[in-house]
Amino acid sequence: APGWACACQVVVAAAWEACASWTQLQSASALVATTGTAPVVWPAPEGCGGVVRDPVAEELAPALRLSPSSTGNRIAAARRLVAVPAMTALVGEGLLGAGPARLIADDLDVFPTEDVTTVTIEVADRVRVRARSGLRAWTGTEIRQRVARALLRLGSAKVAKARRQARRGRRVTVTPDSHGMAWLGAYMSGVDAARIYARLTAIAKGIDDPERGMDATRCDLLIDALLTSRPATTTDTAAEAGAEDRADAGADAG
């Protein structure tokens, strides 16, 4: 009965989940086979200026029923995934979901190919050994954590360089949702994100409003902080960030 599944129903559900991940992998592989493993840059006609990046996205977009920009994002994600064959092999073997594999590929994107190969082969072998041992299989999150730990063994200099490179991609995004709502996201350092969340939580705990709840209270506090207060150190913060970027560039050049 639903909610009281027998073993065979559990196996069938898991099998379909593995098939879904395998299908996502085939989709990514087909995209890369169509677009190539690296972006194609095509000079725009004379007088137009600039270049066209991955012109094939314009042809793929209507076939995929996506906008050209969304298609470009899909192509980039597919390239990152296919570039980590040790992880995609685990997806094909049913030992890793496509979602976690994509997250791992994103984590590895800033590291040299030889380091990625070393780390992922090591972790993939450990995943297979564990699967044969009869122990509980690692979740996708646990596999991702082991990849992160293996990266730390590459040496502090390589890890620090990867973090500097990732930091240059910090940004704020807005994703529309239904019913007049939207998601506001900020890609920033984990330390800053944790500090912001902890501060919002601490303030929210001092507000006695059980009808709103903690999540809604944190959201309202964030809105108030950004829209009703004028940041006093905007210029200083921008200058500091620029100085850090220049320092990072110098360290990379060195």
Side-chain angles (χ1 to χ4, degrees):
W4 301 92
C6 66
C8 60
Q9 289 175 307
V10 172
V11 170
V12 169
W16 278 116
E17 188 67 24
C19 287
S21 289
W22 182 85
T23 301
Q24 291 179 51
L25 175 59
Q26 302 314 303
S27 173
S29 298
L31 277 178
V32 173
T34 303
T35 63
T37 57
V40 174
V41 178
W42 177 67
E46 186 176 354
C48 296
V51 297
V52 176
R53 186 182 179 90
D54 277 329
V56 69
E58 298 289 342
E59 299 180 57
L60 278 170
L64 300 180
R65 295 178 176 82
L66 297 171
S67 68
S69 61
S70 295
T71 302
N73 293 335
R74 184 74 63 87
I75 292 170
R79 284 174 175 153
R80 290 194 297 271
L81 178 61
V82 173
V84 192
M87 293 294 103
T88 57
L90 292 181
V91 175
E93 296 167 31
L95 298 174
L96 178 64
R102 291 182 187 278
L103 293 176
I104 292 171
D106 292 345
D107 293 341
L108 296 168
D109 190 45
V110 295
F111 286 91
T113 301
E114 59 272 19
D115 292 336
V116 170
T117 300
T118 299
V119 165
T120 54
I121 288 178
E122 172 194 333
V123 174
D125 287 343
R126 292 177 61 195
V127 171
R128 293 188 181 96
V129 168
R130 186 174 179 88
R132 291 193 297 267
S133 71
L135 296 173
R136 177 188 64 80
W138 283 330
T139 65
T141 298
E142 289 172 330
I143 295 175
R144 187 184 182 194
Q145 290 170 344
R146 279 156 179 79
V147 170
R149 291 173 192 166
L151 289 172
L152 291 175
R153 294 198 292 273
L154 295 176
S156 58
K158 288 185 177 181
V159 173
K161 182 177 180 180
R163 288 181 176 178
R164 288 196 300 270
Q165 187 173 340
R167 183 179 178 278
R168 294 187 191 117
R170 60 193 184 277
R171 57 191 178 274
V172 175
T173 59
V174 176
T175 304
D177 207 331
S178 57
H179 309 299
M181 302 295 285
W183 293 94
L184 175 67
Y187 182 65
M188 64 181 74
S189 76
V191 172
D192 287 339
R195 290 174 61 198
I196 291 171
Y197 187 82
R199 184 168 185 179
L200 290 172
T201 300
I203 298 173
K205 286 181 178 178
I207 299 175
D208 185 16
D209 190 352
E211 291 187 4
R212 278 196 295 182
M214 287 293 291
D215 286 338
T217 302
R218 273 189 291 257
C219 181
D220 292 344
L221 287 169
L222 179 62
I223 294 171
D224 290 343
L226 294 177
L227 297 183
T228 64
S229 301
R230 185 180 67 84
T233 58
T234 301
T235 303
D236 295 338
T237 302
E240 180 182 349
E244 289 181 5
D245 286 342
R246 290 190 292 273
D248 291 344
D252 290 345

